[in-house]
Amino acid sequence: MLFVLPTERGGPRLGVTATRRVGAAVRRNRARRVIREVFRHHRHRLPAWDLVVNVRRSAPFRSYRRLEQDFLNLVGRAEKRLSYVRTGESP
């Protein structure tokens, strides 16, 4: 799950949360590390947003490529929805 808020700070920022429902500390930390790495690789292409990713239960079991794809899809969907909000159109 992804929450976004446009910001005027100049660049994107990331926050990652993972509750105990995700699994043991090892799994939660791995999921957070992978998501931070995906963000680091794609930071230059992201809009100036504050992003908060809530890790889901299945995330620690997915590959890097799958998490990367999921992250970019979520960002794309958020970008599309925010453009509708700015222009006043409906999705």
Side-chain angles (χ1 to χ4, degrees):
M1 181 173 286
L2 176 70
F3 297 96
V4 298
L5 184 65
T7 184
E8 296 177 7
R9 290 186 162 257
R13 295 187 306 169
L14 177 70
V16 182
T17 64
T19 65
R20 279 189 255 159
R21 292 176 124 187
V22 172
V26 173
R27 288 192 176 157
R28 293 193 308 268
N29 291 333
R30 180 188 181 279
R32 284 193 286 254
R33 278 194 312 269
V34 171
I35 290 169
R36 282 194 301 261
E37 187 68 11
V38 168
F39 176 79
R40 188 179 71 81
H41 280 140
H42 297 282
R43 179 180 215 147
H44 64 281
R45 297 193 299 154
L46 297 174
W49 289 346
D50 288 338
L51 302 137
V52 177
V53 176
N54 287 350
V55 177
R56 295 295 183 162
R57 288 183 192 180
S58 61
F61 302 107
R62 294 187 177 181
S63 68
Y64 174 85
R65 295 284 179 211
R66 179 67 191 267
L67 283 172
E68 179 180 41
Q69 182 183 19
D70 290 346
F71 179 80
L72 294 175
N73 285 340
L74 285 172
V75 169
R77 288 173 58 196
E79 197 166 25
K80 186 175 180 181
R81 287 186 183 207
L82 281 177
S83 71
Y84 288 128
V85 170
R86 280 189 228 123
T87 61
E89 298 174 10
S90 62

